[in-house]
Amino acid sequence: MAVTLLPWWLVLIWAVFATVFYMIRYRHVKTLKNPWIIAGIFAANLFFFAYAVIIFLVLEYIRSKRKEKD
């Protein structure tokens, strides 16, 4: 959030969306059952907004390419 000029509420919406998306997409991963890890993912998405968006897009792109190979 410190590196963007977007309003704080847009960054907050992104952080909530990305956190919920990760919780749903990776619901079978045992470590995501830990509330501290969920809070860490939320904090990372909130405070490192620009990097979190890039990482999110790259991870989903890699995941889609791996899925196409299978």
Side-chain angles (χ1 to χ4, degrees), residues 5 18 20 33 38 47:
L5 298 175
V20 170
K33 305 271 190 257
I38 299 294
F47 293 116

Side-chain angles (χ1 to χ4, degrees), residues 10 12 45:
L10 284 176
L12 183 63
N45 282 309

Side-chain angles (χ1 to χ4, degrees), residues 8 18 21-22 27 37 39-41 45 52 55 58 60 63 70:
W8 65 270
F21 182 86
Y22 285 133
R27 65 184 169 270
I37 292 178
I41 291 172
N45 282 309
I55 291 170
V58 168
E60 288 307 309
R63 183 178 164 97
D70 292 340

Side-chain angles (χ1 to χ4, degrees), residues 21-22 25-26 52-66:
F21 182 86
Y22 285 133
R25 171 76 84 176
Y26 302 107
V53 171
I54 292 169
I55 291 170
F56 177 81
L57 294 174
V58 168
L59 286 175
E60 288 307 309
Y61 177 76
I62 291 170
R63 183 178 164 97
S64 71
K65 289 300 179 186
R66 284 179 52 198

Side-chain angles (χ1 to χ4, degrees), residues 13-27:
I13 289 171
W14 166 258
V16 170
F17 165 76
T19 304
V20 170
F21 182 86
Y22 285 133
M23 287 174 57
I24 292 170
R25 171 76 84 176
Y26 302 107
R27 65 184 169 270

